[in-house]
Amino acid sequence: MTRAEYSWLLPSDLAEPARAGEPRRSGGPEADEAPEAPVAPEGAGVPGGFDVRRGPGGSGGFGGPGGPRAGRHRRTVRDWIVDTAAFVLAGFFGLLAAEAGSRFGNSEAAVLADQLLGAAACCGLWLRRRWPVGLAAVLCVLHAVVPAAGGAVLVALFGVAVRVPFRRLALVGGLALVCGAVQVVVRPDPTLHPLASVAVGVVLVLLVTGWGMLVRARRQLVVALRERARRAEAEAELRAGQAQRAAREAIAREMHDVLAHRLTLLSVHAGALEFRPDAPPPEVARAAGVIRDSAHEALQDLREIIGVLRAPGDRGDGDRPQPTLATLAALVDESRAAGTKVVLDNGIGDPAAVPAATGRTVYRIAQEALTNARKHAPGTEVTVTVRGRPGDGLTVDVRNPAPTGPVPHVPGSGQGLIGLTERATLAGGRLVHGPVPGGGYALHAWLPWPP
C-alpha cells in the first residue's frame, strides 16, 4: 500500500510504522513512550469492540497498560509541536491560577506549593500518551486542592477522550467533575458564585471531552479506510494470483492434451525402429513417415498453443481450427494409421449440431484415452462409443482389454486423466475411469448438451 509522503504531519497514532530496512519519515527524536492507537467504540462492528491496531475491546494494545509492547511508535514532528503547545498552554493557565491565588490573600507558602505542584502537573503531560487514564485521574485529584493544575487537567482529559472507549472516558470525566466541585468548596474563588464556578467547570470538561471524541472518531474513520484499502489491495493481489494460476493450469492441460497424443505416436514408432532394426524397408519407411507426420503435427499444435499466449492483435489469420466432434473420425484414422486397432461407434447423426465446446471436450477425451491405451495396452483393440441427444447430454465410453504381455512403465502416467477430469468438470459434466472386471480399462464421461 502507498505510504504517506508526509507522515511527519500525521499523529503517531495514524503514521505508518517504518518497516524493516526502511528509513523512518516521522522525523524528530524517538519518544520515550509508545502512544496508544485509537480504538473503535465498544460494541462497534465486533462484540466487545475491536481495533485493527490494538485488539478486542480496546484494552491492552501497543503501548497500552497491560498490553504487549509489540511496536514502539516515534512521536512525529506534529506530536512534538502539539505536546509542546499543550505544555505551554497548561503552564500559562497554571500561572494565571497561581497569580489569582496570591491576590486572594493566600500565604506565600501556599502560593509556592501551588506553583510547584502546577509545574509538576504540566510536566506530567509528557506522559499522557503512555498512561492517559492514570495520569488524568491523578491530575483530577490534584486539581481538587491545587487550582494551578486546571490547565493540565483539561489537556489530560482531551488525551483520554482521544485514546480510550467512552465507558472509561465517562469514569474519568465524572471524576473530573467531582474534583472540580470539591475545589469550589476547598479553594473557592471569591469573584465567582460557587454555582457559577461549578457551571464553568462542567462546560470546560464537556467541551474538551467532546472535542477529543470528535478527533477520536475521525482517526477511527481514517484507520478503517486505511484497513479497507489494505484489504482491497490484498484481495486484488489474491485474485490476480488465482487468475494466473488458473491460466497456467489451463495452458498446461491444453499442452498435455494436444502434445501427448502426437509425442506418444512418435515414441511408439521410434521404439519399434530401435527394437527391430532388421524390419523390412517398407515398415521402416512407414514408421519413419509416421514419426515425421507426428513431429510436424506436434509442432503445429505447439505453435497454435503459443498463439493463445499472444495479444489478440498479434495472432495471425492462419490459425488452425479447433477440433470438434466432426474431427473425431480423423483422430481415429490417425490412430489406425499408427498401428492402433480402434473401433469407432458414433451415434451422433449430425456432429455439427453439438456445441463447439462440448465437441472439443469429447475430442480431447477420446484423444487422451487412445494415447493411454497405446502406452499401457499396446496391441489391444480400443472401442470408442459416443451417444447422446439434446437435453439428455452426451456420453463417451472408451474401453480396451488388458494387454497380453508385459508393458514397460511410462513416466508421468496419470496426469492426463486428472486433466480430463478437470476439463469435464469445468464443462459441467463428469468423468470416471478405472479397471473393469475380467481385465481391461474403461473410461466413461457425460457432458451436458442443451436442448
Side-chain angles (χ1 to χ4, degrees), residues 369-448:
L370 292 173
T371 301
N372 288 340
R374 190 178 302 114
K375 291 191 297 184
H376 303 292
T380 61
E381 183 179 82
V382 184
T383 302
V384 180
T385 305
V386 181
R387 293 286 187 273
R389 60 181 178 179
D392 292 341
L394 193 148
T395 61
V396 183
D397 290 282
V398 183
R399 294 175 175 270
N400 64 269
T404 57
V407 179
H409 174 70
V410 180
S413 301
Q415 300 301 317
L417 293 176
I418 296 175
L420 283 184
T421 304
E422 294 179 357
R423 181 187 288 273
T425 302
L426 291 176
R430 56 185 179 271
L431 185 144
V432 293
H433 56 85
V436 296
Y441 203 86
L443 181 149
H444 173 79
W446 177 87
L447 301 172

Side-chain angles (χ1 to χ4, degrees), residues 13-49:
D13 294 345
L14 299 180
E16 289 283 350
R19 298 168 183 167
E22 291 186 3
R24 291 188 178 269
R25 307 184 191 180
S26 59
E30 182 177 4
D32 60 350
E33 70 266 13
E36 294 187 7
V39 297
E42 293 184 343
V46 179

Side-chain angles (χ1 to χ4, degrees), residues 10-208:
L10 298 174
S12 56
D13 294 345
L14 299 180
E16 289 283 350
R19 298 168 183 167
E22 291 186 3
R24 291 188 178 269
R25 307 184 191 180
S26 59
E30 182 177 4
D32 60 350
E33 70 266 13
E36 294 187 7
V39 297
E42 293 184 343
V46 179
F50 181 81
D51 173 63
V52 295
R53 303 236 339 241
R54 295 190 58 196
S59 61
F62 300 127
R69 304 304 298 271
R72 297 179 62 88
H73 300 274
R74 296 173 181 266
R75 276 195 178 101
T76 63
V77 173
R78 175 192 177 281
D79 286 341
W80 283 101
I81 295 175
V82 170
D83 291 349
T84 302
F87 173 78
V88 173
L89 184 63
F92 175 72
F93 281 108
L95 290 176
L96 292 181
E99 180 63 22
S102 65
R103 292 200 308 267
F104 297 153
N106 294 328
S107 64
E108 293 183 359
V111 173
L112 179 61
D114 283 349
Q115 293 175 347
L116 292 178
L117 292 176
C122 293
C123 292
L125 292 178
W126 292 102
L127 303 177
R128 68 187 181 93
R129 296 180 182 273
R130 177 181 290 181
W131 299 297
V133 176
L135 177 65
V138 171
L139 294 182
C140 287
V141 174
L142 181 63
H143 181 236
V145 294
V146 180
V153 169
L154 294 178
V155 175
L157 282 176
F158 176 80
V160 172
V162 170
R163 288 176 176 79
V164 303
F166 178 76
R167 183 179 302 175
R168 298 169 64 189
L169 172 62
L171 296 177
V172 177
L175 178 62
L177 294 177
V178 172
C179 292
V182 172
Q183 186 203 38
V184 173
V185 178
V186 177
R187 302 288 299 272
D189 185 352
T191 62
L192 286 177
H193 190 276
L195 293 180
S197 298
V198 173
V200 171
V202 171
V203 170
L204 289 177
V205 169
L206 292 179
L207 286 177
V208 170

Side-chain angles (χ1 to χ4, degrees), residues 313-379:
D314 295 339
R315 299 195 61 172
D317 297 333
D319 293 337
R320 296 191 303 166
Q322 291 288 328
T324 62
L325 184 60
T327 59
L328 182 60
L331 174 67
V332 172
D333 292 339
E334 181 181 353
S335 298
R336 289 169 178 168
T340 303
K341 300 176 183 179
V342 184
V343 176
L344 175 61
D345 183 7
N346 189 352
I348 308 300
D350 184 12
V354 179
T358 304
R360 184 161 51 251
T361 303
V362 172
Y363 182 94
R364 295 304 185 197
I365 291 174
Q367 185 181 50
E368 178 64 22
L370 292 173
T371 301
N372 288 340
R374 190 178 302 114
K375 291 191 297 184
H376 303 292

